[in-house]
Amino acid sequence: MAVQKPQSEGASLNNFWMPFTANRQYKAMPRLLVKAEGMYYTDVEGNSVLDSTAGLWCCNAGHSRPEITDAVSRQISQLDYAPTFQMGHPLPFELAERLAAMAPGELNRVFFTNSGSESGDTALKIALAYQRARGHANRTMFIGRELGYHGTGFGGISVGGMVNNRKAFNSQLLPSVAHLPHTLDIERNAFSKGLPEHGIEKADYLEHMIAQHGAENIAAVMVEPMSGSGGVVLPPVAI
Ligand SMILES: Cc1ncc(COP(=O)(O)O)c(C=O)c1O
């Protein structure tokens, strides 16, 4: 099958500054993907490439599914954008209602963002504003986890625990953050079948940290239920 060449082929690779990429090395030997269907990409040479991370976890339903492209196309042609400052349109309300019905317990308010980084920083801001609004303005500390990844905003980098992501910004990170130990326990959990057996006790360290820093000072605890960017580490079986 003939592969459509990217429109930009032949364009300079200099101007696009690629994130989390060794730019000089990549641009000396670029790998360009031009098409996707199901769980495969097609590269510029026409090779099929298995997308083993589901588009960095953004395309879990599969690439270019007709029902998704049809729905997106239908919506764009009907209403491509409407503000949600003081105005509104029905779909965010409908989606929020559906999400609230899926979420556990009293998690029934939805605030939409455009990326994981924005979500992380927004969640931290909501936690601070919430504590302040209920009269606990001294609850400003955040607890994160070593190797945690919450994106590239200042808040997410501060609460996250990926050392290389923090290095250049260390002097300006959030001032009051402590980190739980990471949950990788390779000695005991290597070659586990299904969820690993060991490690539930690592969650108990939170109690120690709360005792150490004082619950009255802590605004929020932020951890990934399943570690991703710091290494895909499954949580242990709950006991
Ligand atoms: C838990 C978590 N928070 C934040 C992010 C950052 O998301 P984005 O790249 O959309 O800013 C990620 C991305 O992998 C993530 O896994």
Side-chain angles (χ1 to χ4, degrees), residues 29 39 45 47 60 87 90 110 112 114 143 157-158 165 173 175 199 204 214 228 232 237 239:
M29 212 180 10
M39 54 188 201
E45 313 280 320
N47 300 308
N60 307 52
M87 306 286 285
V110 179
F112 292 112
N114 291 303
I143 295 184
I157 291 180
S158 306
N165 293 1
L173 296 184
D204 296 339
V232 178
V237 178
I239 43 175

Side-chain angles (χ1 to χ4, degrees), residues 105-129:
E106 292 180 356
L107 282 180
N108 55 15
R109 295 288 188 276
V110 179
F111 190 95
F112 292 112
T113 56
N114 291 303
S115 70
S117 300
E118 197 189 336
S119 303
D121 277 38
T122 303
L124 297 173
K125 286 167 65 188
I126 288 175
L128 288 179

Side-chain angles (χ1 to χ4, degrees), residues 77 120 127 154:
S77 53
F154 276 101

